[in-house]
Amino acid sequence: MPLTVRDLVADAELGLAARAGARAFDRPIAWAHTSELADPAPFLEGGELLLTTGLALRPEDCAGLVERLTAVGVAGLGFGVGLSHREIPAELVTAAESAGLPLLEVPRPTPFIAISKAVSRAVSADEYASLRHTSRAQHELAQAAGTTNGVATLVRKLATLLDAWVLLLDAGGRLLHSAPAAAGSRLPQLEPEVAKVRAKRGLTAAGFSLGDQEVSMQALGGRARGFLAVGRGGPFATTDHHVINSAASLLTLALEQVEALATARRRLRAGFLDLMLRGEPVQDVLPDLHAELPPEPFRVVALAGARDRDELLTRLAADQPSAPAYLAEHGDTVVGLVDGGALDWLTGQPGVAVGVSEPCEVAGLAEGLRQAQQAARAAKRSGTAVHFGDLAGYGLLNLVPGTDAQGFAEALLAPLRGQDALIESLQTWLAHHGQWDPAANRLGVHRHTLRNRVRKVEELLGRSLDQPGVRAELWLALQILDRPGE
């Protein structure tokens, strides 16, 4: 514990007497400093016990001196009597009492050096005690980090050492561990502060109040792999901050190891998926990964279009339900092999296009992935998750990319541009499956007139309409140009 003015007064060997400011006697003393300057305040940092004999002090200067010393934050004023002054000036006593500044009378037999040594010994002892406390705390934190569930154990140990609550958050600000468990309920209140720390980037720390709680928060690692928040109902001492910093360093290393292991496991998952897609026997290869596969038959889910696949995979891993789900990267797509229990969870992911295959087994995984990716392409246009089995209801035009389809239609029908009667006749004739009389009746023209128009279309296009493929292409092109918004 730091030395206070009260402790110094209680030291009988010094013989100090309290003269004013008793209500502030619990102020800690950081150092003792002697000065006979009329205004020593510019040379003080705060927290000092200032010792003086008042050599240059006049009665009319007392109030100003006390005001300046109070402003700079000195711990107290020791006034030596029997030299410049037989007793402490009454004006100084009055001013000190009014300002709440501890004022001590130093008797003539007590040299200032004795007071300085007493303060120095106490400061050194306090620093040594703090050093030992910090060292023991660091040792206990290191031991906690080395246990089986090191990260969670370290969080609990930090909370115990500081008599505080502790939250460990991931890079996205989601809760990883809390101590005690109920402290996790504070996360919504911390989210604005997490955003501020994240915005600053790099190794950033912040201290702030949260109601009646004092909170210390810092980013873990230069890339903000996570955030550590520690709070309690009172301020943190310097030694407490040393302990928090030690815990932050250990947690940063732990998260880096977790991240490295996760990266390696992701690569293994992707490689394992590729083996299955090639039809390689996988039952005896990496049995741990094989055990993660959902029971057959399962569905293949393709999640395409994610801005950050790393962030998506991290979020999926953190939120994964108990139902079996095998997640891996394949090109620019995140692939999930899931049973019915996890299907709703994956199809409800925001910010990605989700396609779902028909039920399949490992032997048919390549076909399942093709179906899922095709459904995902349709999902990009629909904005909702699409099941492969539902594609037939989407219509052929909805499966063709809009810009590609528009270009195809305009190029194919370019020779007929401006020939509205020919285009209308062609479209009506195709709609009636090439039957002349029904089409002519629909148009209100003679069938010979329609025949002439169709022959003109053939001449302009340079293609025979007797070919089914040509008719299909022209019908598709006409439908594309008739789509709303085209």
Side-chain angles (χ1 to χ4, degrees), residues 125-484:
D126 188 56
E127 289 178 348
Y128 179 67
S130 298
L131 181 62
R132 289 195 61 187
H133 171 74
T134 302
S135 178
R136 284 196 301 268
Q138 290 173 335
H139 180 67
E140 292 183 37
L141 290 172
Q143 283 185 319
T147 59
T148 303
N149 192 11
V151 173
T153 305
L154 196 156
V155 168
R156 290 194 296 270
K157 174 59 69 174
L158 179 61
T160 300
L161 289 171
L162 299 183
D163 189 22
W165 51 265
V166 179
L167 299 185
L168 177 63
L169 313 178
D170 67 11
R174 292 174 290 272
L175 182 65
L176 294 175
H177 299 286
S178 63
S185 62
R186 298 182 183 274
L187 181 57
Q189 297 173 282
L190 290 173
E191 288 176 349
E193 301 297 335
V194 172
K196 292 178 184 177
V197 173
R198 183 191 291 112
K200 293 179 181 178
R201 301 185 180 275
L203 296 172
T204 305
F208 53 91
S209 297
L210 196 66
D212 62 345
Q213 302 288 297
E214 293 297 318
V215 183
S216 174
M217 177 186 292
Q218 55 184 284
L220 300 177
R223 290 175 46 211
R225 291 178 169 84
F227 301 90
L228 176 65
V230 185
R232 69 184 183 193
F236 293 102
T238 301
T239 53
D240 296 330
H241 285 294
H242 290 328
V243 174
I244 293 173
N245 290 339
S246 298
S249 297
L250 290 169
L251 287 170
T252 299
L253 291 174
L255 292 179
E256 287 177 351
Q257 292 173 347
V258 169
E259 184 177 309
L261 288 173
T263 299
R265 192 168 186 81
R266 275 174 47 188
R267 291 174 179 169
L268 284 174
R269 283 170 168 268
F272 194 68
L273 178 64
D274 286 341
L275 286 176
M276 290 190 291
L277 289 171
R278 293 201 298 266
E280 300 285 348
V282 294
Q283 287 78 0
D284 299 325
V285 180
L286 297 175
D288 288 345
L289 289 179
H290 187 266
E292 294 180 11
L293 294 177
E296 298 175 298
F298 49 76
R299 292 180 185 267
V300 183
V301 179
L303 298 96
R307 293 183 179 179
D308 187 335
R309 290 200 308 279
D310 290 345
E311 191 277 333
L312 174 60
L313 280 167
T314 299
R315 187 179 77 225
L316 292 175
D319 299 339
Q320 185 168 337
S322 57
Y326 184 92
L327 302 171
E329 292 175 273
H330 183 72
D332 60 355
T333 303
V334 173
V335 176
L337 311 182
V338 299
D339 68 356
L343 185 58
D344 290 343
W345 165 66
L346 270 187
T347 54
Q349 293 300 320
V352 290
V354 183
V356 184
S357 76
E358 294 292 283
C360 68
E361 298 182 350
V362 171
L365 181 59
E367 172 61 17
L369 178 58
R370 184 194 69 78
Q371 292 178 2
Q373 289 176 323
Q374 185 171 342
R377 287 193 290 271
K380 288 181 180 179
R381 293 185 288 278
S382 69
T384 60
V386 174
H387 289 248
F388 180 78
D390 296 334
L391 289 180
Y394 273 70
L396 179 61
L397 295 183
N398 286 324
L399 302 180
V400 181
T403 54
D404 293 345
Q406 184 74 9
F408 159 77
E410 290 178 353
L412 181 60
L413 298 173
L416 304 182
R417 186 174 299 153
Q419 305 282 344
D420 294 343
L422 293 182
I423 294 175
E424 182 184 12
S425 296
L426 173 64
Q427 190 167 19
T428 303
W429 181 70
L430 291 173
H432 286 82
H433 313 292
Q435 299 180 50
W436 299 103
D437 289 338
N441 290 335
R442 177 69 177 174
L443 291 168
V445 299
H446 195 275
R447 64 179 178 177
H448 293 311
T449 301
L450 179 59
R451 286 181 184 276
N452 291 333
R453 290 179 180 178
V454 170
R455 281 197 293 270
K456 183 63 175 178
V457 167
E458 288 180 315
E459 292 175 7
L460 292 172
L461 295 178
R463 307 178 73 174
S464 172
L465 295 181
D466 291 335
Q467 301 176 22
V470 173
R471 292 189 186 188
E473 287 183 358
L474 288 171
W475 174 253
L476 177 62
L478 290 165
Q479 297 304 305
I480 291 171
L481 292 183
D482 277 347
R483 284 195 297 190

